[in-house]
Amino acid sequence: MKRVAILGHTGMVGSALVRRLQSEDADVELIGASSKEVDLCNLEQVSTWFKKFKPHYVFVAAARVGGIADNIEYPVEYMGENALIGLHTIMCSAQYGVEKLVYIGSSCLYPAHCIQPMTEEMILTGPFEPTNEGYAIGKLVGMKLAEYYRKEYNSNFITVLPCNLYGPNDDWSESGHVMASLVRKICDAKKNNLGEVVLWGTGNPRREFLHVDDCADACVVALKKYSDGMPLNVGSGEDLTIHELAISIAQAVKYEGKFIFNKSKPDGMQQKLMDVTRLTRLGWEPNISLSKGIKEMIHYYHTLA
Ligand code: GFB
């Protein structure tokens, strides 16, 4: 019986990991740790938790996350909380003999003007995108600490770098990421017969999207098969513009109004497309197409309303 800890098991990525691991045939006991049970920013609480549960495997899915606007407004929290979560969970994993740890980083760790598609070697080859610099620095702490434990103490700690994720337990508020925000705005416009929907920025930035259930599956494959000091990109390998995403959502809900671009809002990185060669070599590919994922998101939004 292996004890698998999912730190942040009530969040979007953590809850997807729980769903995925519940379908495993292997004899595993899942242990969750949400912010209600343990404050991962408090070293004493994290240490007490590890001492009590002594997990064999750890997924660090807990994080302060949000869309571009929230990242700009709260850099202190994005940097501070993510740095502390990474430090505490990785240090305690080493102290309590965790056999393997998967730290969940982000595509925001790549430089703002990174060559596309982005290979894992390109991390730290240039300055971060200013709109999510705090988040990137916070997440960098965890990624680097995992790497240092591997080098200095031979710990089997790895980092995965997911692209833009969406799915169940997404944040539907103004602070959320673009997928949930556009589904909300376009569904509301359809319901209220509004002639236009306002998109932030120019609509030209390109993003790569992955359903969180696919991300969870890739994280489990990484736990089983990937033991390399280099982080592992997790993505679909395909991107589209924000405008194209909005058009796809509009087609799925049969919304025929216009899109207006509020150019006073930031675009963020012009493109974020992962090179997924390493992941593909592990024999992994996504299961949920973007069109299927968009329909699911529309369904989730309607069930909330
Ligand atoms: O997912 P998102 O907020 O963040 O997407 P990033 C932002 C892109 O979508 C920008 C445009 O080009 C926005 O201008 N956009 C258009 C909108 N309309 C909207 C809207 O209503 N809401 C939102 N949120 N965006 C994030 C980081 O960067 O990447 C996070 O800020 C995280 O920390 C994530 O790491 C993976 O993709 O730019």
Side-chain angles (χ1 to χ4, degrees):
M1 170 74 85
K2 293 284 187 185
R3 279 185 302 282
V4 186
I6 301 147
L7 309 181
H9 73 289
T10 53
M12 185 170 76
V13 175
S15 56
L17 278 165
V18 172
R19 285 194 295 281
R20 170 62 186 80
L21 289 163
Q22 278 169 342
S23 70
E24 271 290 291
D25 287 337
D27 211 3
V28 291
E29 180 192 354
L30 303 184
I31 320 162
S34 73
S35 50
K36 281 192 193 124
E37 287 132 7
V38 48
D39 177 3
L40 297 176
C41 293
N42 179 315
L43 181 57
E44 211 180 307
Q45 286 191 29
V46 180
S47 184
T48 305
W49 188 91
F50 271 82
K51 195 172 175 184
K52 180 173 173 197
F53 291 107
K54 295 203 180 65
H56 299 98
Y57 303 136
V58 168
F59 289 96
V60 184
R64 167 86 182 217
V65 290
I68 191 166
D70 210 52
N71 270 264
I72 293 170
E73 199 171 350
Y74 300 106
V76 170
E77 288 75 9
Y78 274 86
M79 182 178 147
E81 289 175 27
N82 287 311
L84 289 175
I85 291 170
L87 278 174
H88 296 164
T89 58
I90 293 168
M91 279 162 49
C92 291
S93 292
Q95 190 184 349
Y96 290 100
V98 167
E99 289 170 29
K100 186 148 185 184
L101 173 141
V102 180
Y103 178 73
I104 297 163
S106 165
S107 60
C108 294
L109 282 163
Y110 283 98
H113 301 288
C114 197
I115 298 164
Q116 305 287 323
M118 308 182 291
T119 64
E120 289 86 349
E121 292 79 7
M122 293 173 186
I123 288 180
L124 292 180
T125 53
F128 293 126
E129 158 61 33
T131 57
N132 55 44
E133 189 187 77
Y135 179 70
I137 295 173
K139 280 280 170 185
L140 183 67
V141 170
M143 187 191 86
K144 278 289 170 191
L145 194 62
E147 184 187 314
Y148 297 156
Y149 268 109
R150 165 175 290 279
K151 280 190 190 144
E152 197 175 329
Y153 297 104
N154 213 17
S155 310
N156 198 355
F157 293 175
I158 61 166
T159 295
V160 296
L161 303 174
C163 63
N164 286 50
L165 303 175
Y166 66 91
N169 294 321
D170 219 322
D171 176 359
W172 296 96
S173 75
E174 283 274 312
S175 324
H177 289 105
V178 62
M179 172 69 89
S181 301
L182 295 196
V183 168
R184 170 178 48 78
K185 284 183 184 177
I186 296 167
C187 288
D188 288 355
K190 166 86 182 170
K191 188 172 147 201
N192 300 316
N193 284 319
L194 303 180
E196 57 188 46
V197 167
V198 178
L199 304 183
W200 297 350
T202 60
N204 296 328
R206 302 186 72 87
R207 293 289 183 272
E208 176 183 5
F209 294 94
L210 188 69
H211 191 287
V212 71
D213 284 344
D214 274 336
C215 175
D217 189 49
C219 290
V220 173
V221 168
L223 177 86
K224 289 178 181 174
K225 296 190 183 175
Y226 193 75
S227 288
D228 196 299
M230 192 61 84
L232 178 70
N233 285 346
V234 172
S236 62
E238 288 172 11
D239 65 355
L240 76 172
T241 67
I242 298 299
H243 190 191
E244 286 165 345
L245 173 69
I247 292 170
S248 301
I249 298 168
Q251 283 169 347
V253 294
K254 300 192 171 52
Y255 173 69
E256 286 170 358
K258 290 193 295 190
F259 292 115
I260 306 286
F261 296 94
N262 179 353
K263 292 181 185 153
S264 70
K265 296 279 189 183
D267 267 347
M269 257 171 94
Q270 274 314 301
Q271 190 176 15
K272 272 198 278 188
L273 175 64
M274 302 287 212
D275 181 309
V276 286
T277 307
R278 276 169 192 269
L279 182 60
T280 310
R281 276 202 212 116
L282 298 178
W284 187 86
E285 58 179 37
N287 202 21
I288 304 169
S289 66
L290 184 60
S291 59
K292 185 175 173 201
I294 287 173
K295 283 187 194 130
E296 240 190 49
M297 285 296 277
I298 293 164
H299 174 73
Y300 295 141
Y301 187 62
H302 284 142
T303 53
L304 285 177

